[in-house]
Amino acid sequence: EGKIVNYELNSNVTATASHTFSPNVAGTFTLGGTLDDRNYRQLSDVGRTLVAPEPFNLLNTVTRDPTIDAVQEIRNVGYFGQATADLFDQLFLSAALRNDGSSTYDRSHLHAWFPKASAAWTFSKIVNIPGVSFGKLRAAYGEAGQEPLPYLTTQTYSSVAFATIPQGVALTPAYGGFGGLSSSATKATPSLLPERTREIEGGIDLGFFKDKADLGIPYSQQITSNVILTQQTAASLGFFQQVQQGPTYPHWALSIQTNPPPLPQPHYPR
């Protein structure tokens, strides 16, 4: 018998100010914050050997395993600021900085910074190229993070039963009427940073013949560092696995996207 309670609370607050300094210069500034609280609780017990065929409840069992009363909490908080500028209706700039904190990080690195910036220039408004009705150059840079699972930085202990090889059989840390605790099968990793992804993106967009046809050449480069991986440990350590960080995975992409102009429908005499 048991129950599982799972809830999540979110709050978001933003404030934006915008101003037009002149017909050719305008901008905005945004400040905000987020708060996230995730809570999971499991309360259950297992009874063994029924006294009577029915009913199926704990009062109708001979022995009972230690009660499972597990609580998992994750708290995240974030603050961010962003500024944008529109210049001469052709150059668009933006920059932002975000600070995220998570209870799943280690205590020496409870917060992490994530910047981003972008620029786009519609050069066709001042550069006249025959046949080109629209032209834009763009570039962007940004960083994002992935938090680890909770309780990986601290060695945890539990009094609940843990499964063994035979089906339906479990062992408990309690023995001979004396209580006990068992350590987690995952060895703690005292220093654990967020998994970070850095991405650079750029490209050119062109329109031809009054935008009847277009061509886009985007390029992106993505590098993920501090990748969080679970590795097996030596049995002599008393654990099955441990979370490690370190690998870096790069990714590059270059593509060409085009939409040719529609073919005119031929005219057939009736």
Side-chain angles (χ1 to χ4, degrees):
E1 292 186 2
K3 67 177 181 178
I4 295 176
V5 179
N6 189 14
Y7 72 84
E8 180 174 354
L9 299 177
N10 300 96
S11 65
N12 298 274
V13 178
T14 58
T16 302
S18 60
H19 184 70
T20 301
F21 299 93
S22 71
N24 295 323
V25 179
T28 64
F29 185 71
T30 301
L31 289 176
T34 61
L35 182 63
D36 179 72
D37 185 3
R38 284 171 282 173
N39 187 291
Y40 170 87
R41 181 172 183 180
Q42 178 184 2
L43 181 62
S44 63
D45 201 350
V46 175
R48 303 184 184 277
T49 309
L50 290 173
V51 178
E54 292 182 358
F56 296 106
N57 57 37
L58 291 176
L59 294 177
N60 190 34
T61 58
V62 178
T63 59
R64 300 172 185 85
D65 292 347
T67 302
I68 297 177
D69 190 356
V71 178
Q72 177 178 292
E73 294 181 326
I74 301 176
R75 291 187 173 93
N76 296 332
V77 61
Y79 307 96
F80 64 89
Q82 178 173 295
T84 65
D86 300 343
L87 307 177
F88 302 97
D89 196 29
Q90 59 179 281
L91 182 60
F92 306 95
L93 306 174
S94 69
L97 185 62
R98 183 181 181 93
N99 182 274
D100 282 335
S102 177
S103 62
T104 63
Y105 299 161
D106 68 74
R107 299 190 64 85
S108 300
H109 307 89
L110 288 177
H111 293 264
W113 293 95
F114 301 99
K116 70 174 183 178
S118 65
W121 177 38
T122 308
F123 61 86
S124 58
K125 292 192 175 183
I126 60 173
V127 178
N128 187 15
I129 301 176
V132 178
S133 55
F134 175 81
K136 176 188 287 186
L137 290 172
R138 51 185 173 83
Y141 173 81
E143 296 185 14
Q146 175 65 44
E147 65 183 27
L149 295 175
Y151 311 120
L152 293 178
T153 61
T154 304
Q155 198 60 56
T156 59
Y157 297 86
S158 174
S159 62
V160 301
F162 51 92
T164 57
I165 296 177
Q167 182 70 23
V169 178
L171 297 177
T172 65
Y175 182 76
F178 295 94
L181 298 173
S182 63
S183 62
S184 170
T186 302
K187 189 176 186 297
T189 304
S191 179
L192 199 58
L193 301 175
E195 185 175 297
R196 185 180 295 267
T197 299
R198 298 175 173 88
E199 184 173 1
I200 299 175
E201 184 181 10
I204 182 173
D205 300 316
L206 300 173
F208 304 96
F209 312 113
K210 297 182 180 180
D211 295 339
K212 292 181 179 179
D214 61 74
L215 173 67
I217 306 178
Y219 168 79
S220 64
Q221 175 182 327
Q222 188 180 90
I223 299 178
T224 302
S225 58
N226 293 331
V227 177
I228 301 173
L229 299 174
T230 302
Q231 297 180 343
Q232 290 184 339
T233 60
S236 58
L237 296 177
F239 302 95
F240 293 152
Q241 59 189 11
Q242 184 180 25
V243 171
Q244 301 285 348
Q245 284 188 295
T248 299
Y249 294 102
H251 176 75
W252 296 272
L254 176 65
S255 60
I256 298 177
Q257 304 169 357
T258 181
N259 291 307
L263 297 177
Q265 182 177 2
H267 176 70
Y268 296 101
R270 295 183 179 178

